[in-house]
Amino acid sequence: MKLLKTVIFIMTLAVLSSCFGDKKSIIGSDLGNTSFVNKNFQGNTIEFNAVTDVCSLINKEKLASLYNVSADAIVTVGQGKFVQNGNTKTCMVRVKLGGSDWNFLTGMISLYKEVSSSQDAGGISEAIGQGENWEEAWSLKKSMSKSAKWIPKVGKAALYTDAKRKLEVKLEGYTLEIVAPGAPFNKEEQAKNRDFEKISIQMAKHLGFIK
């Protein structure tokens, strides 16, 4: 069963990584290495069950400051628009750049509740790093991406993938995932060379999930 879960995860991640040109061979990787786990994690600042609407946690002024726009350029779409359930809570974020209604950057903030082994039918949650035994899946995820890097001393573990503008932070009982607002096919926007790693970490801090 563990092999099957690993195979499913590898196939899924390989497809996603290929879309971003970020795929890397895992040959020679030590998938049992858990040195990336923060042994000094002090506990959550926000519990999963305490969040009813992720969008309500966003301080538009602070987010706007990261993109040098005004607060009214920040648009959020969350509760009532996206599927919110006992395991997933999501907020889509748009940063309007002006010029037209279609000139905006898009990002996402999601919370994924950790799934216990007894409730993980087929072991899918564990295979994608959202189960009780998440360390191996995270190690594999890092090994398969050329642009992924560990962010030390953040949560139980934190992984930033530059090709996807994505920060993942493992917390007690759930995972925080932030895709920093961007527009990968907008050449004018790409020329600005925004530091999305810094932006995503600041977003996590402003939301209150990390210090």
Side-chain angles (χ1 to χ4, degrees), residues 38-97:
N38 182 8
K39 304 298 190 299
N40 297 314
F41 177 63
Q42 299 297 309
N44 296 344
T45 55
I46 299 176
E47 299 299 333
F48 181 87
N49 290 333
V51 181
T52 55
D53 181 11
V54 178
C55 290
S56 68
L57 301 177
I58 296 174
N59 183 311
K60 292 186 177 182
E61 286 76 15
K62 289 183 177 180
L63 179 55
S65 70
L66 299 177
Y67 286 88
N68 296 315
V69 297
S70 61
D72 59 9
I74 306 299
V75 178
T76 61
V77 183
Q79 197 172 38
K81 300 295 183 180
F82 282 95
V83 175
Q84 312 283 335
N85 54 48
N87 291 329
T88 304
K89 301 173 183 181
T90 299
C91 177
M92 184 174 72
V93 182
R94 288 177 176 170
V95 180
K96 296 188 294 184
L97 300 178

Short mmCIF file of all heavy atoms in Angstrom, two decimals, residues 38-97:
data_model
loop_
_atom_site.label_atom_id
_atom_site.label_comp_id
_atom_site.label_asym_id
_atom_site.label_seq_id
_atom_site.Cartn_x
_atom_site.Cartn_y
_atom_site.Cartn_z
N ASN A 38 11.26 21.11 11.56
CA ASN A 38 11.64 22.06 12.60
C ASN A 38 11.42 21.45 13.99
O ASN A 38 10.28 21.32 14.46
CB ASN A 38 10.82 23.35 12.46
CG ASN A 38 11.19 24.41 13.46
OD1 ASN A 38 12.17 24.27 14.20
ND2 ASN A 38 10.41 25.48 13.50
N LYS A 39 12.50 21.08 14.63
CA LYS A 39 12.41 20.46 15.95
C LYS A 39 12.02 21.46 17.04
O LYS A 39 11.65 21.07 18.14
CB LYS A 39 13.75 19.80 16.32
CG LYS A 39 14.26 18.78 15.31
CD LYS A 39 13.32 17.61 15.16
CE LYS A 39 13.93 16.46 14.35
NZ LYS A 39 14.27 16.83 12.97
N ASN A 40 12.09 22.74 16.73
CA ASN A 40 11.79 23.78 17.73
C ASN A 40 10.44 24.44 17.50
O ASN A 40 10.20 25.55 17.99
CB ASN A 40 12.90 24.84 17.72
CG ASN A 40 14.25 24.27 18.12
OD1 ASN A 40 14.35 23.53 19.09
ND2 ASN A 40 15.28 24.59 17.34
N PHE A 41 9.58 23.78 16.76
CA PHE A 41 8.24 24.32 16.50
C PHE A 41 7.50 24.54 17.82
O PHE A 41 7.41 23.65 18.65
CB PHE A 41 7.46 23.35 15.60
CG PHE A 41 6.04 23.76 15.33
CD1 PHE A 41 5.77 24.93 14.64
CD2 PHE A 41 4.98 22.98 15.76
CE1 PHE A 41 4.46 25.31 14.37
CE2 PHE A 41 3.68 23.35 15.50
CZ PHE A 41 3.41 24.52 14.81
N GLN A 42 6.97 25.74 18.00
CA GLN A 42 6.36 26.12 19.28
C GLN A 42 4.84 26.01 19.30
O GLN A 42 4.20 26.38 20.28
CB GLN A 42 6.76 27.56 19.61
CG GLN A 42 8.26 27.77 19.78
CD GLN A 42 8.82 26.97 20.94
OE1 GLN A 42 8.31 27.03 22.06
NE2 GLN A 42 9.88 26.21 20.68
N GLY A 43 4.25 25.50 18.24
CA GLY A 43 2.79 25.36 18.20
C GLY A 43 2.13 26.39 17.30
O GLY A 43 2.75 27.38 16.88
N ASN A 44 0.86 26.18 17.00
CA ASN A 44 0.11 27.05 16.10
C ASN A 44 -0.21 28.39 16.74
O ASN A 44 -0.44 28.48 17.95
CB ASN A 44 -1.20 26.39 15.68
CG ASN A 44 -1.00 25.12 14.88
OD1 ASN A 44 0.09 24.86 14.36
ND2 ASN A 44 -2.05 24.33 14.77
N THR A 45 -0.27 29.42 15.91
CA THR A 45 -0.79 30.71 16.36
C THR A 45 -2.28 30.81 16.03
O THR A 45 -3.02 31.57 16.66
CB THR A 45 -0.04 31.87 15.70
OG1 THR A 45 -0.11 31.72 14.27
CG2 THR A 45 1.42 31.89 16.12
N ILE A 46 -2.72 30.04 15.02
CA ILE A 46 -4.14 29.96 14.64
C ILE A 46 -4.49 28.50 14.43
O ILE A 46 -3.78 27.79 13.71
CB ILE A 46 -4.42 30.75 13.35
CG1 ILE A 46 -4.09 32.23 13.52
CG2 ILE A 46 -5.89 30.60 12.93
CD1 ILE A 46 -4.28 33.05 12.24
N GLU A 47 -5.58 28.05 15.02
CA GLU A 47 -6.02 26.67 14.83
C GLU A 47 -6.92 26.58 13.61
O GLU A 47 -7.66 27.52 13.29
CB GLU A 47 -6.76 26.17 16.08
CG GLU A 47 -5.93 26.17 17.35
CD GLU A 47 -4.70 25.27 17.25
OE1 GLU A 47 -4.72 24.29 16.48
OE2 GLU A 47 -3.70 25.56 17.94
N PHE A 48 -6.89 25.44 12.95
CA PHE A 48 -7.69 25.23 11.74
C PHE A 48 -9.16 25.51 11.99
O PHE A 48 -9.83 26.22 11.22
CB PHE A 48 -7.50 23.79 11.24
CG PHE A 48 -8.25 23.47 9.98
CD1 PHE A 48 -7.70 23.72 8.73
CD2 PHE A 48 -9.54 22.92 10.03
CE1 PHE A 48 -8.40 23.44 7.56
CE2 PHE A 48 -10.24 22.63 8.87
CZ PHE A 48 -9.66 22.89 7.63
N ASN A 49 -9.71 24.97 13.06
CA ASN A 49 -11.14 25.10 13.35
C ASN A 49 -11.54 26.52 13.72
O ASN A 49 -12.74 26.85 13.74
CB ASN A 49 -11.54 24.15 14.47
CG ASN A 49 -11.49 22.69 14.03
OD1 ASN A 49 -11.64 22.39 12.84
ND2 ASN A 49 -11.28 21.78 14.96
N ALA A 50 -10.57 27.37 14.01
CA ALA A 50 -10.87 28.76 14.37
C ALA A 50 -11.11 29.63 13.14
O ALA A 50 -11.60 30.76 13.25
CB ALA A 50 -9.74 29.35 15.20
N VAL A 51 -10.78 29.11 11.97
CA VAL A 51 -10.93 29.88 10.72
C VAL A 51 -12.22 29.49 10.02
O VAL A 51 -12.41 28.33 9.63
CB VAL A 51 -9.74 29.63 9.78
CG1 VAL A 51 -9.91 30.45 8.49
CG2 VAL A 51 -8.43 29.98 10.45
N THR A 52 -13.12 30.42 9.88
CA THR A 52 -14.36 30.16 9.14
C THR A 52 -14.28 30.68 7.72
O THR A 52 -14.88 30.12 6.80
CB THR A 52 -15.56 30.81 9.86
OG1 THR A 52 -15.31 32.21 10.04
CG2 THR A 52 -15.78 30.16 11.23
N ASP A 53 -13.54 31.77 7.53
CA ASP A 53 -13.38 32.36 6.19
C ASP A 53 -11.95 32.89 6.08
O ASP A 53 -11.59 33.86 6.75
CB ASP A 53 -14.39 33.48 5.98
CG ASP A 53 -14.29 34.11 4.60
OD1 ASP A 53 -13.59 33.55 3.74
OD2 ASP A 53 -14.92 35.17 4.39
N VAL A 54 -11.14 32.26 5.25
CA VAL A 54 -9.74 32.66 5.10
C VAL A 54 -9.63 34.11 4.66
O VAL A 54 -8.75 34.86 5.12
CB VAL A 54 -9.01 31.74 4.09
CG1 VAL A 54 -7.57 32.18 3.91
CG2 VAL A 54 -9.06 30.28 4.55
N CYS A 55 -10.53 34.54 3.79
CA CYS A 55 -10.47 35.92 3.28
C CYS A 55 -10.58 36.95 4.40
O CYS A 55 -10.03 38.06 4.29
CB CYS A 55 -11.58 36.15 2.26
SG CYS A 55 -11.36 35.27 0.69
N SER A 56 -11.30 36.61 5.46
CA SER A 56 -11.50 37.56 6.55
C SER A 56 -10.21 37.85 7.30
O SER A 56 -10.12 38.83 8.05
CB SER A 56 -12.56 37.03 7.53
OG SER A 56 -12.08 35.89 8.23
N LEU A 57 -9.19 37.02 7.11
CA LEU A 57 -7.90 37.22 7.79
C LEU A 57 -6.99 38.19 7.05
O LEU A 57 -5.99 38.66 7.59
CB LEU A 57 -7.17 35.87 7.93
CG LEU A 57 -7.88 34.76 8.71
CD1 LEU A 57 -7.04 33.48 8.67
CD2 LEU A 57 -8.15 35.19 10.14
N ILE A 58 -7.34 38.51 5.81
CA ILE A 58 -6.47 39.35 4.98
C ILE A 58 -6.59 40.82 5.35
O ILE A 58 -7.69 41.38 5.43
CB ILE A 58 -6.81 39.17 3.49
CG1 ILE A 58 -6.52 37.73 3.05
CG2 ILE A 58 -6.03 40.16 2.63
CD1 ILE A 58 -6.96 37.43 1.63
N ASN A 59 -5.45 41.43 5.60
CA ASN A 59 -5.37 42.87 5.79
C ASN A 59 -5.02 43.47 4.42
O ASN A 59 -3.89 43.34 3.95
CB ASN A 59 -4.29 43.21 6.83
CG ASN A 59 -4.21 44.70 7.12
OD1 ASN A 59 -4.15 45.52 6.21
ND2 ASN A 59 -4.19 45.04 8.40
N LYS A 60 -6.00 44.09 3.79
CA LYS A 60 -5.80 44.57 2.42
C LYS A 60 -4.72 45.63 2.32
O LYS A 60 -3.99 45.70 1.32
CB LYS A 60 -7.12 45.08 1.85
CG LYS A 60 -8.14 43.97 1.61
CD LYS A 60 -9.38 44.49 0.89
CE LYS A 60 -10.36 43.36 0.61
NZ LYS A 60 -11.56 43.84 -0.13
N GLU A 61 -4.60 46.45 3.34
CA GLU A 61 -3.57 47.50 3.32
C GLU A 61 -2.17 46.88 3.30
O GLU A 61 -1.29 47.30 2.55
CB GLU A 61 -3.72 48.43 4.53
CG GLU A 61 -4.88 49.39 4.46
CD GLU A 61 -6.22 48.74 4.73
OE1 GLU A 61 -6.23 47.59 5.26
OE2 GLU A 61 -7.25 49.36 4.40
N LYS A 62 -1.98 45.85 4.14
CA LYS A 62 -0.67 45.21 4.21
C LYS A 62 -0.35 44.46 2.92
O LYS A 62 0.79 44.50 2.44
CB LYS A 62 -0.61 44.26 5.41
CG LYS A 62 -0.56 44.98 6.76
CD LYS A 62 -0.43 43.99 7.91
CE LYS A 62 -0.32 44.72 9.24
NZ LYS A 62 -0.18 43.77 10.38
N LEU A 63 -1.35 43.76 2.38
CA LEU A 63 -1.12 43.04 1.13
C LEU A 63 -0.84 44.02 0.00
O LEU A 63 0.06 43.80 -0.82
CB LEU A 63 -2.34 42.17 0.79
CG LEU A 63 -2.26 41.36 -0.51
CD1 LEU A 63 -1.01 40.49 -0.53
CD2 LEU A 63 -3.51 40.49 -0.68
N ALA A 64 -1.59 45.11 -0.04
CA ALA A 64 -1.39 46.12 -1.08
C ALA A 64 0.02 46.69 -1.04
O ALA A 64 0.63 46.97 -2.09
CB ALA A 64 -2.42 47.24 -0.92
N SER A 65 0.57 46.84 0.17
CA SER A 65 1.91 47.41 0.31
C SER A 65 2.98 46.51 -0.32
O SER A 65 4.03 46.99 -0.74
CB SER A 65 2.23 47.64 1.79
OG SER A 65 2.41 46.41 2.48
N LEU A 66 2.71 45.21 -0.39
CA LEU A 66 3.67 44.28 -0.99
C LEU A 66 3.72 44.41 -2.51
O LEU A 66 4.68 43.98 -3.15
CB LEU A 66 3.31 42.83 -0.62
CG LEU A 66 3.32 42.49 0.88
CD1 LEU A 66 2.86 41.04 1.09
CD2 LEU A 66 4.72 42.67 1.46
N TYR A 67 2.67 45.02 -3.09
CA TYR A 67 2.59 45.17 -4.55
C TYR A 67 2.57 46.64 -4.98
O TYR A 67 2.39 46.94 -6.16
CB TYR A 67 1.34 44.45 -5.07
CG TYR A 67 1.48 42.95 -5.08
CD1 TYR A 67 1.15 42.19 -3.96
CD2 TYR A 67 1.98 42.27 -6.19
CE1 TYR A 67 1.29 40.81 -3.96
CE2 TYR A 67 2.12 40.90 -6.21
CZ TYR A 67 1.79 40.18 -5.08
OH TYR A 67 1.93 38.80 -5.08
N ASN A 68 2.75 47.53 -4.01
CA ASN A 68 2.76 48.96 -4.30
C ASN A 68 1.49 49.42 -5.01
O ASN A 68 1.54 50.17 -6.01
CB ASN A 68 4.00 49.33 -5.13
CG ASN A 68 5.29 49.08 -4.39
OD1 ASN A 68 5.41 49.44 -3.22
ND2 ASN A 68 6.26 48.47 -5.05
N VAL A 69 0.36 48.97 -4.50
CA VAL A 69 -0.93 49.40 -5.02
C VAL A 69 -1.77 49.88 -3.83
O VAL A 69 -1.36 49.76 -2.67
CB VAL A 69 -1.68 48.26 -5.75
CG1 VAL A 69 -0.89 47.81 -6.98
CG2 VAL A 69 -1.93 47.07 -4.81
N SER A 70 -2.94 50.44 -4.09
CA SER A 70 -3.82 50.89 -3.02
C SER A 70 -4.66 49.71 -2.52
O SER A 70 -4.82 48.70 -3.22
CB SER A 70 -4.74 52.00 -3.52
OG SER A 70 -5.55 51.54 -4.59
N ALA A 71 -5.20 49.84 -1.33
CA ALA A 71 -5.97 48.75 -0.72
C ALA A 71 -7.19 48.38 -1.55
O ALA A 71 -7.61 47.20 -1.55
CB ALA A 71 -6.39 49.14 0.70
N ASP A 72 -7.78 49.35 -2.26
CA ASP A 72 -8.97 49.02 -3.05
C ASP A 72 -8.64 48.22 -4.31
O ASP A 72 -9.54 47.81 -5.05
CB ASP A 72 -9.77 50.28 -3.40
CG ASP A 72 -8.96 51.30 -4.20
OD1 ASP A 72 -7.84 50.97 -4.63
OD2 ASP A 72 -9.46 52.42 -4.39
N ALA A 73 -7.35 47.99 -4.56
CA ALA A 73 -6.94 47.15 -5.69
C ALA A 73 -6.92 45.67 -5.30
O ALA A 73 -6.73 44.81 -6.16
CB ALA A 73 -5.55 47.56 -6.19
N ILE A 74 -7.14 45.37 -4.03
CA ILE A 74 -7.15 44.00 -3.55
C ILE A 74 -8.58 43.47 -3.55
O ILE A 74 -9.47 44.03 -2.90
CB ILE A 74 -6.57 43.89 -2.13
CG1 ILE A 74 -5.16 44.51 -2.07
CG2 ILE A 74 -6.54 42.43 -1.68
CD1 ILE A 74 -4.14 43.86 -2.98
N VAL A 75 -8.79 42.38 -4.26
CA VAL A 75 -10.12 41.74 -4.34
C VAL A 75 -9.99 40.31 -3.85
O VAL A 75 -9.08 39.58 -4.28
CB VAL A 75 -10.67 41.75 -5.78
CG1 VAL A 75 -12.02 41.05 -5.84
CG2 VAL A 75 -10.77 43.18 -6.30
N THR A 76 -10.89 39.90 -2.96
CA THR A 76 -10.85 38.53 -2.45
C THR A 76 -12.15 37.81 -2.78
O THR A 76 -13.23 38.41 -2.79
CB THR A 76 -10.63 38.50 -0.93
OG1 THR A 76 -11.71 39.17 -0.26
CG2 THR A 76 -9.31 39.18 -0.56
N VAL A 77 -12.03 36.52 -3.03
CA VAL A 77 -13.18 35.67 -3.31
C VAL A 77 -13.05 34.43 -2.45
O VAL A 77 -12.11 33.64 -2.63
CB VAL A 77 -13.25 35.26 -4.80
CG1 VAL A 77 -14.49 34.44 -5.07
CG2 VAL A 77 -13.19 36.48 -5.70
N GLY A 78 -13.97 34.26 -1.51
CA GLY A 78 -13.81 33.14 -0.58
C GLY A 78 -15.10 32.46 -0.24
O GLY A 78 -15.74 31.85 -1.11
N GLN A 79 -15.52 32.57 1.01
CA GLN A 79 -16.69 31.86 1.50
C GLN A 79 -17.92 32.14 0.64
O GLN A 79 -18.24 33.28 0.33
CB GLN A 79 -16.97 32.27 2.95
CG GLN A 79 -17.88 31.33 3.70
CD GLN A 79 -17.95 31.69 5.17
OE1 GLN A 79 -17.96 32.86 5.53
NE2 GLN A 79 -17.99 30.69 6.03
N GLY A 80 -18.60 31.06 0.23
CA GLY A 80 -19.77 31.19 -0.63
C GLY A 80 -19.45 31.09 -2.10
O GLY A 80 -20.34 30.88 -2.93
N LYS A 81 -18.17 31.24 -2.46
CA LYS A 81 -17.76 31.16 -3.86
C LYS A 81 -16.93 29.91 -4.14
O LYS A 81 -17.00 29.34 -5.22
CB LYS A 81 -16.95 32.41 -4.24
CG LYS A 81 -17.70 33.72 -4.08
CD LYS A 81 -18.89 33.82 -5.02
CE LYS A 81 -19.58 35.17 -4.88
NZ LYS A 81 -20.74 35.31 -5.79
N PHE A 82 -16.10 29.52 -3.16
CA PHE A 82 -15.31 28.31 -3.29
C PHE A 82 -15.87 27.25 -2.35
O PHE A 82 -16.50 27.57 -1.33
CB PHE A 82 -13.83 28.55 -2.94
CG PHE A 82 -13.07 29.23 -4.02
CD1 PHE A 82 -12.91 30.60 -4.03
CD2 PHE A 82 -12.51 28.50 -5.06
CE1 PHE A 82 -12.20 31.25 -5.02
CE2 PHE A 82 -11.81 29.14 -6.07
CZ PHE A 82 -11.65 30.50 -6.05
N VAL A 83 -15.61 25.98 -2.67
CA VAL A 83 -16.03 24.90 -1.80
C VAL A 83 -15.27 25.00 -0.48
O VAL A 83 -14.05 24.99 -0.44
CB VAL A 83 -15.76 23.52 -2.44
CG1 VAL A 83 -16.09 22.41 -1.46
CG2 VAL A 83 -16.59 23.36 -3.71
N GLN A 84 -16.01 25.15 0.60
CA GLN A 84 -15.42 25.18 1.93
C GLN A 84 -16.02 24.00 2.69
O GLN A 84 -17.23 23.86 2.75
CB GLN A 84 -15.77 26.49 2.66
CG GLN A 84 -15.55 27.75 1.85
CD GLN A 84 -14.09 28.16 1.76
OE1 GLN A 84 -13.28 27.82 2.60
NE2 GLN A 84 -13.73 28.89 0.71
N ASN A 85 -15.18 23.16 3.24
CA ASN A 85 -15.70 22.01 3.96
C ASN A 85 -14.85 21.74 5.20
O ASN A 85 -14.03 22.56 5.58
CB ASN A 85 -15.75 20.78 3.05
CG ASN A 85 -14.41 20.49 2.39
OD1 ASN A 85 -13.37 20.47 3.04
ND2 ASN A 85 -14.43 20.27 1.07
N GLY A 86 -15.05 20.59 5.80
CA GLY A 86 -14.33 20.27 7.01
C GLY A 86 -12.86 20.08 6.83
O GLY A 86 -12.09 20.10 7.80
N ASN A 87 -12.40 19.90 5.58
CA ASN A 87 -10.99 19.63 5.33
C ASN A 87 -10.28 20.72 4.53
O ASN A 87 -9.04 20.77 4.52
CB ASN A 87 -10.83 18.30 4.57
CG ASN A 87 -11.20 17.11 5.43
OD1 ASN A 87 -11.02 17.12 6.64
ND2 ASN A 87 -11.72 16.06 4.80
N THR A 88 -11.01 21.58 3.87
CA THR A 88 -10.39 22.59 2.99
C THR A 88 -11.06 23.95 3.14
O THR A 88 -12.29 24.03 3.16
CB THR A 88 -10.48 22.16 1.51
OG1 THR A 88 -9.88 20.88 1.35
CG2 THR A 88 -9.76 23.16 0.62
N LYS A 89 -10.25 25.00 3.25
CA LYS A 89 -10.75 26.37 3.30
C LYS A 89 -9.89 27.21 2.36
O LYS A 89 -8.66 27.15 2.44
CB LYS A 89 -10.70 26.90 4.73
CG LYS A 89 -11.52 26.06 5.71
CD LYS A 89 -11.35 26.48 7.15
CE LYS A 89 -12.14 25.55 8.07
NZ LYS A 89 -12.03 25.92 9.50
N THR A 90 -10.54 27.97 1.49
CA THR A 90 -9.80 28.63 0.41
C THR A 90 -10.24 30.07 0.20
O THR A 90 -11.41 30.41 0.36
CB THR A 90 -10.00 27.85 -0.91
OG1 THR A 90 -9.50 26.53 -0.76
CG2 THR A 90 -9.26 28.51 -2.06
N CYS A 91 -9.29 30.90 -0.18
CA CYS A 91 -9.57 32.29 -0.58
C CYS A 91 -8.74 32.62 -1.81
O CYS A 91 -7.52 32.45 -1.80
CB CYS A 91 -9.22 33.25 0.56
SG CYS A 91 -9.45 35.00 0.13
N MET A 92 -9.39 33.07 -2.87
CA MET A 92 -8.67 33.54 -4.06
C MET A 92 -8.41 35.03 -3.90
O MET A 92 -9.27 35.77 -3.42
CB MET A 92 -9.48 33.30 -5.33
CG MET A 92 -8.72 33.69 -6.60
SD MET A 92 -9.59 33.25 -8.12
CE MET A 92 -10.92 34.44 -8.09
N VAL A 93 -7.21 35.46 -4.27
CA VAL A 93 -6.81 36.86 -4.13
C VAL A 93 -6.45 37.43 -5.49
O VAL A 93 -5.70 36.81 -6.25
CB VAL A 93 -5.59 36.98 -3.18
CG1 VAL A 93 -5.21 38.45 -3.01
CG2 VAL A 93 -5.87 36.33 -1.84
N ARG A 94 -6.97 38.60 -5.78
CA ARG A 94 -6.62 39.30 -7.01
C ARG A 94 -6.06 40.68 -6.66
O ARG A 94 -6.58 41.36 -5.79
CB ARG A 94 -7.83 39.45 -7.93
CG ARG A 94 -8.28 38.15 -8.58
CD ARG A 94 -9.52 38.35 -9.42
NE ARG A 94 -9.90 37.12 -10.11
CZ ARG A 94 -11.05 36.96 -10.77
NH1 ARG A 94 -11.92 37.96 -10.83
NH2 ARG A 94 -11.31 35.81 -11.37
N VAL A 95 -5.02 41.05 -7.38
CA VAL A 95 -4.43 42.38 -7.24
C VAL A 95 -4.63 43.11 -8.56
O VAL A 95 -4.01 42.76 -9.57
CB VAL A 95 -2.92 42.29 -6.90
CG1 VAL A 95 -2.34 43.70 -6.76
CG2 VAL A 95 -2.70 41.49 -5.63
N LYS A 96 -5.51 44.10 -8.57
CA LYS A 96 -5.81 44.84 -9.80
C LYS A 96 -4.68 45.83 -10.11
O LYS A 96 -4.24 46.57 -9.23
CB LYS A 96 -7.14 45.57 -9.67
CG LYS A 96 -8.34 44.64 -9.50
CD LYS A 96 -9.66 45.40 -9.58
CE LYS A 96 -9.82 46.34 -8.41
NZ LYS A 96 -11.16 47.01 -8.43
N LEU A 97 -4.22 45.81 -11.34
CA LEU A 97 -3.11 46.67 -11.75
C LEU A 97 -3.57 47.88 -12.55
O LEU A 97 -2.77 48.76 -12.86
CB LEU A 97 -2.10 45.87 -12.58
CG LEU A 97 -1.47 44.66 -11.86
CD1 LEU A 97 -0.53 43.93 -12.80
CD2 LEU A 97 -0.73 45.11 -10.60
#
